[in-house]
Amino acid sequence: MKKERELIPKPRSRFLRVKCPDCSNEQVIFSHAKTVVNCLVCSRVLLKPGGGKGKVEAEIVRQLNSWG
Ligand SMILES: [Zn+2]
């Protein structure tokens, strides 16, 4: 019997850890979000959705492959 491997599709999208320019809050956002992403602390817009990849309006601290 063949062992079934769990298929985890490699996402083309990425998660970004960004730093809010206004309040320095760091949070993880999805770079291909379909809606505007706001800072959880001060509600500043951190990402605006675009064609495919969104426009990040915050400082990118690092890119992540998953939440963390
Ligand atoms: Zn903020």
Side-chain angles (χ1 to χ4, degrees):
M1 205 170 115
K2 248 166 79 178
K3 257 194 181 175
E4 275 187 43
R5 235 174 58 182
E6 198 179 334
L7 288 178
I8 304 168
K10 278 193 179 170
R12 262 180 272 163
S13 324
R14 275 181 189 275
F15 294 96
L16 305 171
R17 178 171 283 275
V18 297
K19 191 174 184 178
C20 174
D22 282 359
C23 72
S24 296
N25 169 54
E26 284 189 18
Q27 70 187 67
V28 177
I29 62 171
F30 183 49
S31 66
H32 286 56
K34 294 268 195 304
T35 55
V36 171
V37 179
N38 297 95
C39 174
L40 295 173
V41 176
C42 72
S43 298
R44 185 191 206 279
V45 174
L46 299 180
L47 180 138
K48 282 180 181 171
K53 193 175 181 180
K55 187 167 179 262
V56 179
E57 309 217 328
E59 182 188 337
I60 298 171
V61 180
R62 59 177 297 199
Q63 293 197 344
L64 308 162
N65 291 319
S66 58
W67 295 97

